[in-house]
Amino acid sequence: LLSRGSADPRSAPRPEAIAQMKRLSAAFLLWRLFWLVRAHRALAILSTEKREIECWTLDRDLCETMGDTLYGLSRFPADDVGDLLSGRMATAAGICKLVEEGLCTWGLCGGGEDCSEASEQAKAAKKKNKRHGNKRLASSPSPERSQDANGDAE
């Protein structure tokens, strides 16, 4: 976060970068909520007795994590909701795609501050793989070239 008066205006985040990070944060929270609800529904299959005796800590932790996620979503300003849930964020598939791209970008840049170059590399690799009909990432080794820890081909 920026501290008042000490930040160089040239290094301040651009408004579009802030909007993108808000969108990505909301996407991760919605994605998490989706999986938590699925886990909660899976627990509902169990009998009430079994759930209350054997799974009460799991149920409690699920509810707590769900509450934390909902709290995180509630902290977005009401004025931003329309913008956050438009475009790709309007559908579950769009949210999942945004989360996928965010994870891929962070994986390529190592979680550093400036992931813009890694983001461009990820997009370029994805386009190249689509053109060639290859579903693997461009950076993943091919099975015929895999090597063991000693450097010997397998």
Side-chain angles (χ1 to χ4, degrees):
L1 297 176
L2 296 175
S3 58
R4 294 181 189 207
S6 66
D8 180 8
R10 291 172 286 168
S11 67
R14 299 178 315 273
E16 61 270 6
I18 291 172
Q20 176 62 20
M21 284 310 296
K22 281 184 181 179
R23 236 178 264 111
L24 192 57
S25 293
F28 273 108
L29 287 168
L30 289 168
W31 188 61
R32 174 192 278 180
L33 187 60
F34 169 76
W35 285 105
L36 289 169
V37 168
R38 286 188 63 136
H40 201 260
R41 292 291 301 151
L43 273 179
I45 294 171
L46 299 174
S47 68
T48 306
E49 180 182 352
K50 191 170 202 135
R51 222 177 23 249
E52 289 174 354
I53 294 171
E54 297 180 24
C55 302
W56 68 270
T57 56
L58 179 60
D59 192 36
R60 179 201 60 204
D61 292 346
L62 261 175
C63 288
E64 182 180 344
T65 306
M66 220 180 289
D68 292 345
T69 304
L70 290 169
Y71 177 78
L73 286 168
S74 76
R75 303 313 302 158
F76 285 96
D79 297 341
D80 289 351
V81 172
D83 182 47
L84 287 174
L85 296 177
S86 63
R88 293 171 67 188
M89 292 283 292
T91 65
I95 291 170
C96 290
K97 195 70 170 163
L98 192 61
V99 167
E100 175 190 359
E101 290 171 4
L103 290 172
C104 185
T105 299
W106 287 342
L108 289 172
C109 74
E113 291 283 328
D114 185 18
C115 291
S116 57
E117 186 177 314
S119 177
E120 294 304 316
Q121 289 174 352
K123 287 178 184 175
K126 197 168 198 173
K127 284 180 182 178
K128 181 180 176 183
N129 286 336
K130 269 190 176 177
R131 270 199 323 262
H132 296 295
N134 188 355
K135 294 194 185 278
R136 289 183 302 162
L137 289 175
S139 61
S140 64
S142 62
E144 57 273 1
R145 289 189 185 177
S146 61
Q147 296 179 346
D148 63 10
N150 298 327
D152 300 327
E154 291 180 14

